Amino acid sequence: MKSIVVVAAAAGMLAAGYGFAQSGADVVKAKGCMNCHEVDAKKVGPSFKDIAAKRKGAEADLVAKLKDGKGHPKAAASDAEIKAAVQHVLSTK
């Protein structure tokens, strides 16, 4: 009986998005960000280093741009994935 409760709790956490969280680096690779951006060179879009240098403290703005598709193609990702990706990009040195 105890194992059934544990399995049910784990399934509930997965359904709520708590399981298997991807790192920001994994998200930018999986969601195609690297098609237009590179870490240290301009491609179609600015490099992650340039974004990090110019947009310090603008995490909420960048998340909104990716979520809403304003000034950047709308990202097909969950809120948690977008936030992880933005944090990863902003941490680039």
Side-chain angles (χ1 to χ4, degrees):
M1 181 69 173
K2 194 175 196 179
S3 63
I4 293 172
V5 172
V6 172
V7 170
M13 287 177 20
L14 284 173
Y18 291 110
F20 303 116
Q22 289 182 307
S23 71
D26 292 338
V27 172
V28 297
K29 290 176 188 170
K31 298 300 179 180
C33 303
M34 303 306 289
N35 292 335
C36 296
H37 300 278
E38 288 191 22
V39 173
D40 57 2
K42 180 173 175 41
K43 203 172 181 180
V44 174
S47 71
F48 290 165
K49 286 184 177 182
D50 287 343
I51 295 169
K54 293 177 184 174
R55 303 301 300 250
K56 282 185 182 173
E59 180 179 328
D61 292 338
L62 292 173
V63 168
K65 278 187 175 197
L66 293 172
K67 203 170 153 182
D68 300 333
K70 294 180 182 170
H72 185 281
K74 188 173 182 176
S78 70
D79 291 352
E81 289 172 325
I82 292 172
K83 187 172 180 178
V86 167
Q87 288 173 343
H88 171 70
V89 170
L90 291 177
S91 70
T92 305
K93 296 180 182 186

